[in-house]
Amino acid sequence: MLVAASLIALYQGGVLFKPQQTPSAQTTAPVATPVASPDAGQISDSLSSGQTEYSKYSGTFFGTFDTVVTLIGYAPSEDDFNRELAAVEALFQHYHQIFDNYHAYDGVANIYALNKSAAQAPVKVDDDLFDLLVWCKSNQEKYGSDTVNIAMGTLLSIWHDYREDAELDPTSAAIPPMTKLTPAANHMNIEDVILDAQNKTVYYSDPNLML
């Protein structure tokens, strides 16, 4: 949802599909290709705005959120579309890195970094990550503890390990014992995630909590 909202904000702000935008850095160099309309009776492969003709293009990139992302849109030229495609990919790469709880990235204070260090001292994070944590915490307080709890990382990591072990050796598949789950369930209080809005830092008051 956060990614979708950011893309909408870029579009509404006039960033997407404007030929004057500066090219953004990209990691996989996606290339746009003209595409046929799925229903020529309803959607044209070209549009016009004044004296400018807009053609329909599509581009695909990989490597974010373990999925394939395809962007389809109209632009005055393939170069214009490719610039916007690069901007979208850069946005996806940004969110992929800061929301990642499995990997570290140079110079990025992401969820993985929080789980490693936030119980020792407050960790300053990117505005987008901080805003997401604020949103998650405020909504859990609003709707109650029976909603999704982002502070269940310690508990869920046990299930994760058992699942991976089962994938490697299906004959050893097992359900985690309550002797492991019950103690872990004592370390998932969202109130132990301390957010400092002034300094944009995150601190875990419970040293065994993980997001």
Side-chain angles (χ1 to χ4, degrees), residues 26 34 38-39 72 79 87 89 110 125-126 144 147 161 169 172 200:
Q26 58 192 49
D39 186 345
I72 300 174
D79 287 342
E89 184 184 17
N110 60 2
V125 298
D126 179 275
T147 58
D161 292 343
D169 181 11
S172 66
K200 297 297 176 71

Side-chain angles (χ1 to χ4, degrees), residues 11 15-19 21 32-49 52-59 71-85:
Y11 175 78
V15 177
L16 290 178
F17 305 110
K18 282 258 188 161
Q21 181 182 352
T33 55
V35 296
S37 168
D39 186 345
Q42 296 180 10
I43 306 174
S44 172
D45 287 340
S46 64
L47 298 172
S48 61
S49 176
T52 304
E53 284 287 331
Y54 288 78
S55 297
K56 189 177 183 182
Y57 299 93
S58 75
L71 179 69
I72 300 174
Y74 291 86
S77 70
E78 184 175 338
D79 287 342
D80 292 325
F81 181 84
N82 279 335
R83 282 194 289 270
E84 306 305 336
L85 182 62

Side-chain angles (χ1 to χ4, degrees), residues 7-197:
L7 293 177
I8 292 171
L10 282 173
Y11 175 78
Q12 292 177 336
V15 177
L16 290 178
F17 305 110
K18 282 258 188 161
Q20 65 267 28
Q21 181 182 352
T22 302
S24 302
Q26 58 192 49
T27 58
T28 58
V31 177
T33 55
V35 296
S37 168
D39 186 345
Q42 296 180 10
I43 306 174
S44 172
D45 287 340
S46 64
L47 298 172
S48 61
S49 176
Q51 300 300 314
T52 304
E53 284 287 331
Y54 288 78
S55 297
K56 189 177 183 182
Y57 299 93
S58 75
T60 299
F61 57 85
F62 308 86
T64 60
F65 300 102
D66 294 325
T67 191
V68 178
V69 179
T70 299
L71 179 69
I72 300 174
Y74 291 86
S77 70
E78 184 175 338
D79 287 342
D80 292 325
F81 181 84
N82 279 335
R83 282 194 289 270
E84 306 305 336
L85 182 62
V88 170
E89 184 184 17
L91 187 66
F92 269 76
Q93 287 286 352
H94 167 69
Y95 287 128
H96 175 83
Q97 291 186 6
I98 65 173
F99 297 155
D100 194 341
N101 67 324
Y102 295 111
H103 306 96
Y105 303 91
D106 290 340
V108 178
N110 60 2
I111 293 178
Y112 176 88
L114 291 177
N115 289 340
K116 290 292 184 181
S117 305
Q120 284 76 52
V123 177
K124 186 174 180 61
V125 298
D126 179 275
D127 286 352
D128 290 326
L129 177 53
F130 189 86
D131 291 345
L132 177 67
L133 296 180
V134 169
W135 186 88
C136 290
K137 187 174 180 180
S138 63
N139 275 276
Q140 184 169 327
E141 293 169 350
K142 177 179 178 181
Y143 295 112
S145 59
D146 57 342
T147 58
V148 174
N149 181 0
I150 64 170
M152 292 178 66
T154 300
L155 179 66
L156 295 179
S157 67
I158 298 174
W159 287 96
H160 174 269
D161 292 343
Y162 271 71
R163 187 200 69 204
E164 288 206 329
D165 290 343
E167 290 176 348
L168 293 174
D169 181 11
T171 62
S172 66
I175 295 176
M178 294 304 294
T179 53
K180 288 187 176 182
L181 297 176
T182 300
N186 293 324
H187 304 287
M188 44 186 260
N189 186 351
I190 192 67
E191 295 304 319
D192 289 327
V193 180
I194 310 302
L195 305 176
D196 183 338

